[in-house]
């Protein structure tokens, strides 16, 4: 797919209002049947950051291209982080709260180096802003307390958000590939936990593992989700 490269135009639009340190955030794994939901966050100095070549929304890149971009993004960013919430945490908290927990973990990694003035979040719903700490297992980890601005298709338009999606995708994919060694029947090294036809067939054959989201519809009694494109 050919698309225009994301730029820093939107990030730089906040400088005049005094927001020098701008972060982009995106999630991956939201629609998977197994494994964590993961949130990437990349902070930049919007007054001095340069364009970084090759970065796109992670869904538009090959696995090899994503992996090759990780050290470039890490060198380019002022600060970065990837946080995860496990399948068990998704079951216990619900998906939105688990995404916020993963975001809080990413935020904690970022602010250890630099505190963003504002965060651009892909989508139209702010699930990132700090909620009640009691929702989280690690209540001592505060959530994102910077202003959060949602933007539809920010992962296609904003370079910091696209970079965040790449970091999150690569780290989550590596986790699922590692899990695949102990759970070969699900072929997670290929589908990364998404509801492909092969993954659904394995669930019907052997049932869910302890890394599946058991609150989701996984069994014949709870019809499986439709097969999905695993690129995301």
């Amino acid at each position: 797919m050919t698309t225009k490269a994301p730029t820093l135009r939107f990030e730089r639009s906040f400088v005049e209002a005094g927001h020098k340190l701008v972060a982009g955030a995106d999630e991956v794994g939201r629609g998977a049947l197994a494994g964590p939901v993961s949130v990437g966050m990349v902070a930049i100095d919007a007054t001095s950051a340069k364009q970084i070549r090759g970065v796109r929304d992670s869904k538009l890149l090959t696995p090899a291209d994503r992996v090759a971009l990780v050290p470039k993004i890490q060198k380019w960013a002022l600060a970065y982080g990837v946080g995860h919430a496990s399948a068990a945490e998704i079951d216990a908290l619900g998906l939105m709260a688990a995404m916020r927990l993963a975001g809080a973990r990413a935020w904690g990694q970022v602010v250890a180096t630099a505190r963003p003035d504002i965060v651009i979040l892909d989508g139209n719903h702010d699930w990132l802003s700090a909620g009640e700490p009691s929702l989280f297992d690690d209540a001592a980890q505060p959530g994102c307390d910077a202003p959060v601005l949602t933007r539809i298709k920010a992962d296609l338009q904003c370079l910091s958000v696209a970079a965040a999606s790449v970091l999150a995708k690569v780290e989550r994919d590596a986790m699922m590939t590692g899990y695949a060694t102990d759970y070969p029947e699900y072929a997670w090294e290929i589908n990364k936990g998404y509801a492909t036809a092969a993954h659904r067939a394995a669930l019907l054959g052997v049932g869910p593992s302890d890394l599946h989201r058991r609150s989701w519809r996984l069994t014949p009694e709870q019809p499986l989700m439709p097969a999905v494109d695993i690129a995301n």
Side-chain angles (χ1 to χ4, degrees):
M1 181 184 295
T2 301
T3 63
K4 292 183 178 179
T7 71
L8 291 167
R9 186 176 299 112
F10 193 62
E11 287 91 333
R12 289 171 178 157
S13 70
F14 298 102
V15 172
E16 188 173 346
H19 300 311
K20 176 182 177 181
L21 303 185
V22 179
D26 198 8
E27 58 76 27
V28 298
R30 178 174 183 169
L33 299 180
V37 64
S38 304
V39 175
M41 190 175 295
V42 170
I44 60 166
D45 182 338
T47 66
S48 61
K50 306 297 184 183
Q51 193 76 12
I52 179 172
R53 294 183 61 183
V55 174
R56 300 287 192 278
D57 171 31
S58 62
K59 295 185 291 294
L60 304 180
L61 298 168
T62 68
D65 286 341
R66 289 193 293 260
V67 170
L69 283 168
V70 167
K72 297 179 182 179
I73 292 170
Q74 292 173 338
K75 182 178 179 180
W76 170 77
L78 184 65
Y80 59 87
V82 178
H84 309 277
S86 68
E89 289 170 327
I90 293 169
D91 288 343
L93 301 173
L95 181 60
M96 289 296 106
M99 288 166 59
R100 190 162 66 247
L101 174 56
R105 290 167 174 163
W107 173 256
Q109 295 169 42
V110 169
V111 297
T113 301
R115 179 172 290 272
D117 301 316
I118 193 168
V119 180
I120 304 166
L121 179 65
D122 181 55
N124 62 2
H125 173 64
D126 176 13
W127 44 261
L128 178 62
S129 293
E132 291 296 327
S134 60
L135 288 173
F136 303 152
D137 285 349
D138 55 353
Q141 171 63 68
C144 174
D145 57 5
V148 173
L149 180 66
T150 60
R151 185 173 177 86
I152 296 172
K153 296 185 178 179
D155 53 357
L156 298 176
Q157 301 166 359
C158 304
L159 187 56
S160 64
V161 178
S165 78
V166 170
L167 294 187
K169 176 66 173 168
V170 169
E171 194 163 311
R172 185 184 185 278
D173 281 2
M175 292 174 69
M176 295 308 295
T177 298
Y179 296 147
T181 302
D182 294 325
Y183 301 90
E185 58 271 32
Y186 303 109
W188 285 336
E189 72 279 8
I190 298 171
N191 63 59
K192 307 304 188 292
Y194 287 92
T196 62
H199 188 181
R200 295 191 306 153
L203 278 167
L204 290 172
V206 301
S209 71
D210 55 358
L211 294 178
H212 279 92
R213 303 172 186 180
R214 291 175 177 265
S215 57
W216 292 39
R217 296 183 177 184
L218 300 173
T219 67
E221 292 74 25
Q222 296 179 300
L224 292 165
M225 296 172 64
V228 299
D229 179 353
I230 65 171
N232 62 347

